Amino acid sequence: MTAHHRDEVITVPRDEYEALKAEVRRLRRELGRQQALLAIMDNAANPGRLRTFTRDELAAEWGISG
């Protein structure tokens, strides 16, 4: 771990921090849905190219626990 100078450290209120974490989770889910929809549409246009993911693979890609 590196030492920080006092002017490089900030303090964020816990409620704001938790709100930011929730927003990141929401955005990741939204992006995952968009990617899934694009994959479905691509597969409809080009049958046979669909990739199947396991639950653990999806959780890892979306940054959530499985």
Side-chain angles (χ1 to χ4, degrees):
M1 185 184 295
T2 61
H4 292 282
H5 294 288
R6 192 127 180 84
D7 59 339
E8 294 176 351
V9 177
I10 62 166
T11 301
V12 178
R14 178 155 305 273
D15 58 339
E16 186 176 337
Y17 174 72
E18 294 298 330
L20 289 170
K21 283 184 8 181
E23 179 68 1
V24 167
R25 285 191 301 270
R26 185 191 69 76
L27 290 171
R28 284 182 176 160
R29 280 193 306 269
E30 183 180 324
L31 180 60
R33 287 185 192 110
Q34 290 173 359
Q35 289 174 336
L37 183 57
L38 287 173
I40 291 167
M41 292 186 325
D42 183 50
N43 188 57
N46 303 303
R49 293 185 45 217
L50 185 62
R51 165 78 163 90
T52 303
F53 294 92
T54 66
R55 180 184 182 113
D56 291 334
E57 288 173 324
L58 288 175
E61 284 297 317
W62 293 344
I64 58 175
S65 59

